[in-house]
Amino acid sequence: LKSRADCDRALDLCRRKSTVSSWCSEKITEIISEFAEHKAHILRHRQLWHLTHLALGSHHSGQLPSWKLVLEKLMTAGLLDAVFATSTVSAGVNFPARSVAFLNSDRFNGHQFLPLNPTEFHQMTGRAGRRGMDNNGFALLIPSKFMDIRWIAKLLHSPPTDVLSQIRINFSM
């Protein structure tokens, strides 16, 4: 989704979703309790109810790292039905999903909205059908006023963009 607020609002739109099985809820609570032994503040997180009762989460840069770790652990264990996320799950996170849904063809970089580049798009679609977890993965494009279908069609067949390192090697390193 486009923003942190969109991710959090999406959780609230799902409040009427049927609850999860008692087994799943117990497993989620068990994993959260393990994390809480070291990070007790996660037991006061405002979205804890969504995790334990609906098996839904919100993952974005506004979340504390410990909360994101809980979500990643639950998702990897296959205990969450859905996670509403910004582009924060696109790289550097083992975040397997059977399906990834795109509602927009751009992302917010902290200052402005920019079109996705091929590497970002491929990283985001790469969450779907992770090797060893799912045999197939699905990327869904949901047309909206924020979706440039022609741009996405170009991204599908574009080679990855070059990664420019921000690291500057100097004597003190």
Side-chain angles (χ1 to χ4, degrees), residues 80-134:
L80 297 183
D81 291 338
V83 174
F84 300 101
T86 58
S87 61
T88 58
V89 296
S90 64
V93 176
N94 182 20
F95 209 82
R98 181 161 296 135
S99 302
V100 175
F102 287 86
L103 299 173
N104 44 283
S105 56
D106 58 358
R107 67 173 187 82
F108 188 65
N109 71 356
H111 304 288
Q112 60 185 340
F113 288 99
L114 298 172
L116 292 172
N117 68 42
T119 300
E120 292 164 340
F121 180 73
H122 290 291
Q123 285 288 327
M124 289 178 193
T125 56
R127 302 298 110 200
R130 297 300 294 245
R131 242 177 309 194
M133 299 194 172
D134 286 311

Side-chain angles (χ1 to χ4, degrees), residues 3-91:
S3 69
R4 300 172 185 181
D6 286 347
C7 294
D8 294 342
R9 270 194 299 272
L11 283 179
D12 289 329
L13 291 173
C14 296
R15 278 196 173 268
R16 285 187 243 146
K17 173 189 176 283
S18 62
T19 57
V20 297
S21 70
S22 59
W23 177 87
C24 186
S25 183
E26 288 171 16
K27 294 301 282 179
I28 290 171
T29 302
E30 182 181 309
I31 289 173
I32 290 169
S33 296
E34 289 172 15
F35 273 91
E37 288 176 14
H38 304 287
K39 307 283 185 185
H41 65 276
I42 66 169
L43 295 175
R44 294 184 303 277
H45 197 281
R46 61 188 167 89
Q47 295 171 352
L48 185 63
W49 184 87
H50 296 87
L51 274 184
T52 57
H53 291 85
L54 304 176
L56 299 174
S58 174
H59 190 287
H60 53 70
S61 62
Q63 303 283 17
L64 293 172
S66 55
W67 183 255
K68 289 192 276 190
L69 284 173
V70 168
L71 287 171
E72 292 161 20
K73 172 88 173 181
L74 292 171
M75 192 70 171
T76 302
L79 294 171
L80 297 183
D81 291 338
V83 174
F84 300 101
T86 58
S87 61
T88 58
V89 296
S90 64

Side-chain angles (χ1 to χ4, degrees), residues 138-152:
F138 303 93
L140 309 167
L141 303 175
I142 302 171
S144 71
K145 63 182 179 179
F146 303 114
M147 176 67 69
D148 182 348
I149 297 295
R150 289 185 185 100
W151 180 248
I152 295 292

